[in-house]
Amino acid sequence: MREFDYKAPRTLREAISLLAKANGQARILAGGTDLIDQLRTRRRTAGLIIDGKTIPDLNRLDYAARRGLRVGAGVSCTSVGNFPAVKERYHAIQESCLLIGSVQIQNRAAVGGNFCNAAPSADTVPSFIVLGAKCVIAGPKGKREVLAEEFFAGPGRTVMAPDELLVEIVVPPPPKNSASHYLRFIPRAEMDIAVAGVASYVQLSPDGRCIAARIALASVAPTPVRAKEAEAVLIGKKITEKEIQEAGEKAVLAANPIDDVRGSIWYRKELVKVLTRRTLGECLATLGQKS
Amino acid sequence: MTTVAERKVIGKRATKVDALDRVTGKAVFGADFAMPGTLHGKVLRSPHPHAIIKKIDYSKALAVPGVKAVVTSADFPIAGAGTAGGELLINISDLRRLVVAEDKALFAGHPIAAVAATNPHIAEQALDLIQVDYEVLPPVENAIQGMQPQAPLLDSNRYTQSLGEKSSKPSNIATIHHLERGDVDKAFQECNVVIERRYETQMVHQGYIEPQACSALVDADGKITVWTTSQGSFNVKGQLVALLQLPQNMVKVVPLEIGGGFGGKIIVMLETLAVMLSKKSGRPVKMVMSREEVLKATGPGSPTYIKLKTGVKGDRLYAVEGEFIYDAGAFPGSPVGAGLNVALGPYKVENMRVKGYDVVTNKPRVQAYRAPGGTPAAYAMESQVDLMAEAMDMDPVEFRLRNGVQEGDLMANNQPFNRIGLKEVLERVKSHPSWNIPINGKYRGRGVASGFWTGAQLTSSAQVQVNADGTLSLMTGAVDLTGTRTTMQQICAEEFGVTPDKVHVSVGDTESVGYTDVSGGSRITYSMGTAVNRASQDAIAQMKQRAANQLKVNAEDIEFADGWFRVKGDPEKEVSFLELARTSRRGDGPIIGKGVVSKLAPAPEFAAHVVDVEVDPETGKVNVLNYTAFQDVGFAVNPTQVEGQMQGGASQGIGWALTEEYVWDKGILRNATLLDYRMPTALDLPMINTEIIEVPASDGPYGVRGVGEVPIVPPAGALANAVAKATGVRLYQLPMSPERVLKALRDKAKDKA
Amino acid sequence: MKVPLRFIVNSEPQELLVEPRQTLLEVLRDELGLTGTKEGCGNGNCGSCTVIMNGVSIVSCCTLGVEAEGKDVLTVEGLAQGGKLHPLQQAFIEGGAMQCGICTPGFLMSTKYLLDNNPHPTEQEIRLAIAGNLCRCTGYDKIVRSIMAVAQGSGG
């Protein structure tokens, strides 16, 4: 690895100041499970590593009835996935967080890191997207919020400026009669990067019609994407097997995958159909409905 | 030979001798060893799969503070002649160009230069400052391409050897093997079922968890010591001697603990570079590979293209015609010959014509991988067998029984089999619940496959010293890969009639014990065990002579049992083992038994595996539900270790069949990490049940057979057969990745529509 | 440039000067001579570098040494207490759960973390907990059985 300096700031202000002074040469370190390997293999470079785990502002994990869930950028997947409010109300987030890598990886990998690494295959991202999450970004000019689905600019790139950092991700409290699930496909049972991943969110009216649906896809486009054509199939309808099939077919329209060592274009599109159907089915099952 | 019933120590489960070191983290593996003042070496590797090296300028690298030496091909002497290896051989002239590129880079990852510096980070940064001028050439990406007449040539001095003749033009086809028997063309005409198919498998890696590592020291008078994690210290020594043109007594190789080898740690990779760096810098040099280097630049298993045409007459496998193309990587020597033997091994075939092609390509040069050449060949043949059984409406186990070889039948090379246990193995399968309890459910299926491996014997040496207090010090030449120290301890204890704790086993270095070939090739328990047996018997013979002298009889009148040397027919005349042991201190000299083995007969290994799978028809994912490995081990000296070998080999075979493959992009490896080179995790496998069959081998003191290799041979065929049963679709390509399975399912649905 | 690092390793306080670019794995092995923790892949995909830091199992090759400042690290060398093996170490020996043994330290640490949090896991829970530890010699069978022996109480 090339040499770099390391700082562990205690406050957000200190971190922002260090970031600004580094002139684009600094990177924030969360869990390290992506960044350290990238530094070792020189896919990313940094003159200064700023540890995000020593800043209290980046490590909050709480839930309040009105504000919803707050996940600090430095909080590990294990902590998020096992947080009671997440287990009760945000199934897709729980599922995402507890299937990344291995136990050891989850113990370090932070949701914030998963976001900032901005791989198209990031497993946590689709779940936060379909649950309406917002990313809270801080920089020298202050804080701003960006919808999770608008946080990504391309493979490995976010919309943050070089002097900005991700503080936390906030997720509104889910309405009654809603459910969310995440599924991904990998060739082994654990450890792999998703060949494709789908998160679905469904909210039903008291008489069982779908009043909101959000579907987000991982690993099948340069960034995580919403499958809006698929969502349109569901909204306003009572979701039956027919709608689920059609949503699966339509979800492919949002996909623009590449061929790589993990899958071909054809296969990824097939998986989008399957995973969309299956996550929708799970949402309905959670809501006590049979499709 | 003692009977099984008479045996007291061998045949029982025994705790691993060196287990304590491993659970406490004290065992010293390659990367754990470092001499004081050691430098750290790193290798500059070619980024191009095929290029002429025009110029190397390392002056800037040498100027970096902390860098003490740089070596290139120019520092190496002209190598000697001969070959090196264990079950798979490489010419020394090729090995010389493999360890560091001479005039051409022949694969992406080929060593070009090496740097030694005071810490590994500095060494790594110095690599960036070595300037190399390459003339990039088009690569030979696979064997099929390499065989075309207009393909780029890796070596313009390489010609095809076939039936004792050399081709007129240079070629990437290094050798064509031929196996012929009977009249195969006529035979096919007499067959009532003929099936012809093509099979394809990908390059895979042994996947040992420990990357290659070594340390080397050339001291002031030129004596070279190398500490290395290798499967054979004498083998490494022989290679160093040949490559660096050194006298045998100036090289000492000390084995460190080895974190997995499976055939991939026999050829030197880093050792010659470490020695040359130490010579140039005057300091010890330690070199450790990264995982990326291991995947890109050590010795994987050959990708293959296999065409098989098999015919049945009545219920007999009557005719086999085949073409096996094996990709050797950058230098010749793929295990295609062994592959032919494995495919045909379990079957009586009267008529055959099989050709094997050894082809070079711009990929890392392959090494042995547990029954080298066997897995792809068996995948093809065992798939064919099931296709034939199905066409004849015959049970697949029954087909294998009816056509399976027995003692006296001919091997593919026309040597007759000595005592073997294939029939017993298949009979056990036939009556076993894993084969008979019905498997129910859509997209679930069960498959079976046989496996064969000859096993090597080679040379082994052992030495046992009887200490004055009656304890025993056993020194073996064989590197301990997985626990054979324990087995050797058991054998020695058995021979002396003592408890295992009285025997201390150590693995010698090349100066402390006699020449021993590599560990691997299924030969340790068989060959090394026989050496230990002979060493023990030799020591006992010496003690019998001392007893005879004391009791004033002839040595042949003495018998040894239960710790006493007695005169036959006059048991009052006796002297104890302990008393005789003490004589080693009182002027009669030490009692040292020597055992050397080099001419054992083959003890062939046969196995059959049964597997149940469930396939997800929407994603193509294959889940392994149940697995049972059946194997004839001759005699299980240590059943725990035997089971472990069967389970480990099976799991590697499952990975080979379902998830492991090298993915290439014009000669560059795209998946050089353990993230994307996917080996099975604990969550991917079920419990691997084992059934041990014991048909004693014809040679050796205990009926032991080699155990370690055949377990990797049947899994791919068994899984292909299971998937075919589960889905109605047969996969002709390995690995049977989810994408390939789904594609096959979709293609079948399309054909039906 | 080297920076100070103060942390506890196997109950002993350590004070070192390290480069920020040295991973925790490198610090443990090269600076402290604790070579029981192994490097198998360099990027968290094989688990042979697993250690427990502040009670949590992590892959030390993806952690910088400096991140361990003020923390409590347990490696395989710290499992046996007062000359007595940890029940897991004993179980691995008795169950034949090792062949070459290079992966064993990583498995022991992952398993200790599992049992500290879930003393009686099922076979599936065990397999999931150790899915991040690769073994190439054993096929995991005897490893899982050894862990089950401890989980069911018969292994100590």
Side-chain angles (χ1 to χ4, degrees), chain A residues 56-187:
Chain A
D57 285 29
L58 265 57
N59 289 282
R60 285 194 277 254
L61 176 63
D62 51 41
Y63 177 82
R66 276 228 213 116
R67 189 184 54 215
L69 179 70
R70 186 162 58 168
V71 178
V75 181
S76 73
C77 287
T78 299
S79 298
V80 176
N82 286 302
F83 191 56
V86 168
K87 284 159 76 155
E88 280 161 38
R89 300 165 203 276
Y90 303 94
H91 287 141
I93 292 177
Q94 178 198 24
E95 285 157 356
S96 295
C97 286
L98 298 182
L99 52 66
I100 288 183
S102 60
V103 165
Q104 297 96 307
I105 300 243
Q106 287 162 28
N107 284 341
R108 292 291 282 176
V111 173
N114 202 223
F115 269 67
C116 294
N117 188 47
S121 56
D123 283 306
T124 61
V125 175
S127 299
F128 279 87
I129 287 179
V130 300
L131 286 159
K134 288 204 176 92
C135 298
V136 179
I137 299 167
K141 298 196 192 89
K143 282 196 182 155
R144 64 189 180 103
E145 283 190 1
V146 167
L147 270 181
E149 66 207 67
E150 289 165 8
F151 183 72
F152 303 93
R157 290 180 299 119
T158 69
V159 297
M160 293 192 296
D163 59 359
E164 289 182 307
L165 58 88
L166 178 67
V167 176
E168 59 198 10
I169 305 163
V170 291
V171 197
K176 278 201 187 42
N177 239 8
S178 70
S180 67
H181 283 283
Y182 177 75
L183 279 176
R184 67 172 185 179
F185 181 79
I186 52 172

Side-chain angles (χ1 to χ4, degrees), chain B residues 64-96:
Chain B
V64 172
V67 171
K68 302 299 180 191
V70 180
V71 300
T72 64
S73 177
D75 294 291
F76 279 64
I78 299 177
T83 58
E87 286 186 299
L88 209 58
L89 296 175
I90 184 170
N91 286 320
I92 291 289
S93 54
D94 289 338
L95 181 59
R96 160 65 186 83

Side-chain angles (χ1 to χ4, degrees), chain B residues 608-624:
Chain B
H609 290 190
V610 173
V611 61
D612 294 342
V613 302
E614 183 173 59
V615 180
D616 182 336
E618 290 190 311
T619 65
K621 180 127 194 277
V622 176
N623 285 312
V624 182

Side-chain angles (χ1 to χ4, degrees), chain A residues 276-287:
Chain A
T276 301
R277 291 198 303 262
R278 289 183 181 181
T279 47
L280 288 173
E282 285 189 7
C283 286
L284 290 180
T286 300
L287 293 168

Side-chain angles (χ1 to χ4, degrees), chain A residues 1-2 42 185-193 259-264 266-267 270-271 274 277-278, chain B residues 121 124-125 128 616 618-619 621 659 663 670-671 674-676 678-679 681 683-684 738-739 742-743 746:
Chain A
M1 263 194 262
R2 296 236 168 83
R42 303 197 229 164
F185 181 79
I186 52 172
R188 290 184 291 178
E190 258 299 80
M191 296 307 290
D192 295 333
I193 297 288
D259 279 329
D260 70 9
V261 297
R262 295 167 193 145
S264 69
W266 169 80
Y267 189 56
E270 290 301 304
L271 289 172
V274 174
R277 291 198 303 262
R278 289 183 181 181
Chain B
H121 293 282
E124 206 176 82
Q125 282 174 230
D128 288 340
D616 182 336
E618 290 190 311
T619 65
K621 180 127 194 277
T659 55
V663 180
R670 294 170 78 189
N671 58 334
L674 290 186
L675 175 62
D676 289 314
R678 293 182 274 265
M679 309 201 296
T681 68
L683 207 49
D684 292 297
E739 180 163 349
L742 187 66
K743 184 113 202 323
R746 291 297 169 79

